[in-house]
Amino acid sequence: MRKQAEVNSGERLGALTSPRYLLVPPDLENTALTILASENLPGTANNDINPEAQGSTSDARLEAARRRVIVVDLWTDTNNWAACADPNLYPTIGVGFRWGEAPEIFSAASPTSGLMFTNDVLPVKVRWFYATGAIDFRGLHKNNVS
């Protein structure tokens, strides 16, 4: 993800698109925590320092790893995973609102007419238009393992 280039340029985005969160199915939660919380690089015979580990004690590293691992319970494939850049550094998913972030609220508040007079109710209508979508693909990565 760090090797992604800026639009219409060969300049790499580097740390902006560096993976911050790891999305995994429930089957890979322990593996993800092991990778992010191990003091040494997992899966190697030499004792290289794990650059992803944050914290000086085992408990601190595990707590930091838990903040970065997101378990997606709806994923049924047991070996697929995804990574996401820090949304504060490189926003990848956006939400847009049509008439502002607050919804429009309509009510029939006349106490002498309509349903409020006959049935002792207050009808309320709420209208809120919003949309979500991907802003840029470079802050996301999905790895489908076959």
Side-chain angles (χ1 to χ4, degrees):
M1 289 175 57
R2 296 178 69 125
K3 294 181 180 181
Q4 298 284 342
E6 195 173 331
V7 176
N8 300 325
S9 169
E11 186 177 340
R12 287 188 173 174
L13 293 170
L16 289 176
T17 55
S18 177
R20 174 74 178 147
Y21 298 104
L22 185 59
L23 291 81
V24 295
D27 306 303
L28 292 180
E29 180 179 14
N30 289 335
T31 305
L33 290 173
T34 301
I35 290 170
L36 293 177
S38 296
E39 184 176 7
N40 297 325
L41 202 57
T44 62
N46 50 10
N47 291 327
D48 291 340
I49 301 287
N50 184 359
E52 296 297 326
Q54 299 172 353
S56 57
T57 65
S58 177
D59 289 338
R61 286 191 302 274
L62 185 59
E63 183 180 335
R66 286 192 188 281
R67 287 193 300 266
R68 294 182 61 191
V69 173
I70 300 171
V71 178
V72 184
D73 292 320
L74 297 175
W75 286 359
T76 56
D77 199 335
T78 60
N79 54 3
N80 291 350
W81 56 272
C84 179
D86 188 346
N88 294 322
L89 295 176
Y90 200 82
T92 56
I93 298 173
V95 179
F97 300 94
R98 186 169 178 189
W99 288 301
E101 293 184 27
E104 291 181 287
I105 300 173
F106 305 96
S107 66
S110 174
T112 59
S113 65
L115 290 174
M116 198 165 175
F117 180 72
T118 58
N119 295 341
D120 201 22
V121 296
L122 177 63
V124 176
K125 176 183 177 182
V126 177
R127 183 168 52 193
W128 196 23
F129 293 103
Y130 63 93
T132 62
I135 297 173
D136 195 347
F137 68 92
R138 290 171 291 192
L140 300 169
H141 173 77
K142 177 84 166 56
N143 195 16
N144 292 327
V145 182
S146 37

